[in-house]
Amino acid sequence: ETGVTQTPRHLVMGMTNKKSLKCEQHLGHNAMYWYKQSAKKPLELMFVYNFKEQTENNSVPSRFSPECPNSSHLFLHLHTLQPEDSALYLCASSQGSGRPPSTDTQYFGPGTRLTVL
Amino acid sequence: LAKTTQPISMDSYEGQEVNITCSHNNIATNDYITWYQQFPSQGPRFIIQGYKTKVTNEVASLFIPADRKSSTLSLPRVSLSDTAVYYCLVLMDSNYQLIWGAGTKLIIKP
């Protein structure tokens, strides 16, 4: 247990569906992250939030829409996805002592395995 | 373009010391190097972080030469439970970018 939970663990959706991924951290951290992990590729940082404010958006398509209502919760809203969006989506949090991403250790959740048909 | 490069896979045996090297030729003065470990069905987990020379903790050592263009994660006396994927990460201080390697799949054999 890392103190970061993600739901659902597995999700299968069609290209016309709308779904949301949820992340919750119980560590009292101020920064939260969304990553995309595809097989044999480096982790791709998608979004970073610090104290609920988005600080990074690494050219992510608009079909991915993040939401951070408070420092403990992070959502990723999905709509009209493509099959190439199938991947493991990881949430992480860090202390947020400086502007993230920083040298603070990131604590990852187990991920949501997304399959787009 | 900043990039971190590491071997795709490595094999070793229980009780051996394993060294995994990461190349980061474009590392800048204030950039930090971090290593993470990932088991199947889990997210990556922090192992060690360093800036220069040598860092040691209870699970690993990190060796960084003077030019800092590479770093080596050293796992002493590995066991079967060390079978995992190991990621090298460079935090670029200048623009807050995270440069992840593609991971090294380490398989420990009995």
Side-chain angles (χ1 to χ4, degrees):
Chain A
E1 278 296 328
T2 63
V4 181
T5 58
Q6 292 186 242
T7 54
R9 293 294 308 274
H10 300 272
L11 178 63
V12 179
M13 59 187 290
M15 289 191 286
T16 58
N17 291 158
K18 290 184 179 181
K19 297 287 184 183
S20 296
L21 310 184
K22 179 183 177 182
C23 175
E24 183 173 0
Q25 58 96 359
H26 309 273
L27 301 169
H29 289 165
N30 298 313
M32 297 188 78
Y33 311 73
W34 277 118
Y35 284 91
K36 177 183 179 182
Q37 185 174 38
S38 303
K40 299 180 181 179
K41 293 177 65 176
L43 272 72
E44 298 175 46
L45 181 62
M46 301 173 71
F47 302 104
V48 181
Y49 278 83
N50 192 30
F51 290 96
K52 303 187 299 178
E53 298 297 322
Q54 188 177 124
T55 59
E56 294 288 333
N57 176 344
N58 288 335
S59 303
V60 180
S62 60
R63 57 186 183 269
F64 295 91
S65 175
E67 178 189 0
C68 188
N70 54 60
S71 293
S72 298
H73 294 86
L74 185 64
F75 295 88
L76 188 62
H77 304 298
L78 316 171
H79 63 98
T80 59
L81 295 192
Q82 304 298 311
E84 59 265 29
D85 297 322
S86 298
L88 182 69
Y89 288 84
L90 292 162
C91 173
S93 70
S94 67
Q95 186 65 42
S97 55
R99 184 203 161 183
S102 66
T103 55
D104 292 341
T105 297
Q106 294 184 49
Y107 294 81
F108 286 83
T112 295
R113 174 67 63 185
L114 174 67
T115 302
V116 182
L117 302 177
Chain B
L1 184 64
K3 188 176 179 181
T4 56
T5 304
Q6 48 185 130
I8 295 173
S9 64
M10 293 179 67
D11 290 351
S12 189
Y13 293 89
E14 283 190 292
Q16 299 295 305
E17 177 184 80
V18 171
N19 296 311
I20 306 174
T21 297
C22 179
S23 170
H24 27 78
N25 292 323
N26 295 321
I27 196 167
T29 303
N30 295 324
D31 296 348
Y32 272 76
I33 300 154
T34 311
W35 285 81
Y36 283 78
Q37 174 192 56
Q38 185 176 25
F39 297 112
S41 302
Q42 295 184 25
R45 183 177 68 174
F46 173 87
I47 301 175
I48 198 166
Q49 182 181 84
Y51 177 75
K52 62 180 180 179
T53 61
K54 178 183 175 182
V55 178
T56 297
N57 62 23
E58 62 276 8
V59 297
S61 294
L62 179 59
F63 298 93
I64 304 170
D67 66 5
R68 303 202 326 123
K69 294 182 182 297
S70 66
S71 58
T72 298
L73 173 71
S74 181
L75 304 173
R77 298 179 299 282
V78 293
S79 64
L80 297 176
S81 63
D82 291 314
T83 293
V85 179
Y86 292 82
Y87 291 94
C88 171
L89 166 65
V90 171
L91 168 66
M92 297 182 66
D93 182 70
S94 60
N95 58 7
Y96 302 97
Q97 292 297 305
L98 298 175
I99 311 300
W100 290 84
T104 298
K105 185 173 184 179
L106 175 64
I107 298 174
I108 305 302
K109 302 175 182 177

